[in-house]
Amino acid sequence: MATVLEALGAYIDSNRGDLTIGTNLFLSKMPDTPDTCVCIYETQGSAPVMTFGSTAIELDRPNVQISVRAARDDYASARDLAQALRTLVAGIVNVSSSGVLIMRAEPTGTFYPLGVDQLERPRVVFNMDCHVGV
């Protein structure tokens, strides 16, 4: 079964003509190239929702961090792409992607600039809480 990471990657890939998994959209590891790219990381989410009197998980609540990197000295492009992705992912309501039902994806806050990497490329991140059917 696919993970929320794979489901979100596939969703972004299919809804953005400029981002392709393995080319400039990556899952769990951001490579050194290309300069402008996006990486989705799994982070600790909230406790799952369980049915009273049962040990079955009814709803999982993972969290993901989406990191955007742009070319050297181009913070505005990193911020703009992060904003567009946040809007796209926040629009998910009852979407099945890669066999995973994402009932909702909600931003946990605003953007957070991570500064620049070793090549002076700016990075901007934001986190999303996801509600995933089990």
Side-chain angles (χ1 to χ4, degrees):
M1 180 175 190
T3 66
V4 71
L5 186 70
E6 295 161 326
L8 285 174
Y11 181 81
I12 291 170
D13 185 318
S14 67
N15 285 278
R16 294 272 315 194
D18 59 341
L19 293 173
T20 304
I21 291 177
T23 301
N24 58 356
L25 174 60
F26 303 96
L27 308 178
S28 76
K29 183 179 180 195
M30 184 179 281
D32 292 333
T33 59
D35 286 339
T36 300
C37 63
V38 174
C39 188
I40 308 169
Y41 300 94
E42 290 180 293
T43 60
Q44 182 176 359
S46 300
V49 175
M50 301 176 82
T51 303
F52 183 74
S54 170
T55 59
I57 295 173
E58 295 295 325
L59 177 71
D60 214 355
R61 300 187 303 169
N63 183 283
V64 296
Q65 182 176 79
I66 299 178
S67 178
V68 177
R69 183 178 69 205
R72 183 180 181 144
D73 298 323
D74 194 5
Y75 175 81
S77 290
R79 176 69 165 72
D80 290 348
L81 181 52
Q83 175 66 48
L85 288 171
R86 183 173 175 241
T87 300
L88 174 67
V89 175
I92 293 174
V93 177
N94 293 325
V95 170
S96 183
S97 178
S98 298
V100 175
L101 175 60
I102 303 173
M103 297 173 176
R104 187 88 179 127
E106 300 171 346
T108 63
T110 59
F111 302 96
Y112 184 75
L114 289 181
V116 296
D117 68 6
Q118 69 277 13
L119 298 177
E120 301 293 317
R121 299 174 295 191
R123 288 183 55 200
V124 176
V125 300
F126 62 94
N127 287 24
M128 302 291 291
D129 279 332
C130 299
H131 301 265
V132 177
V134 177

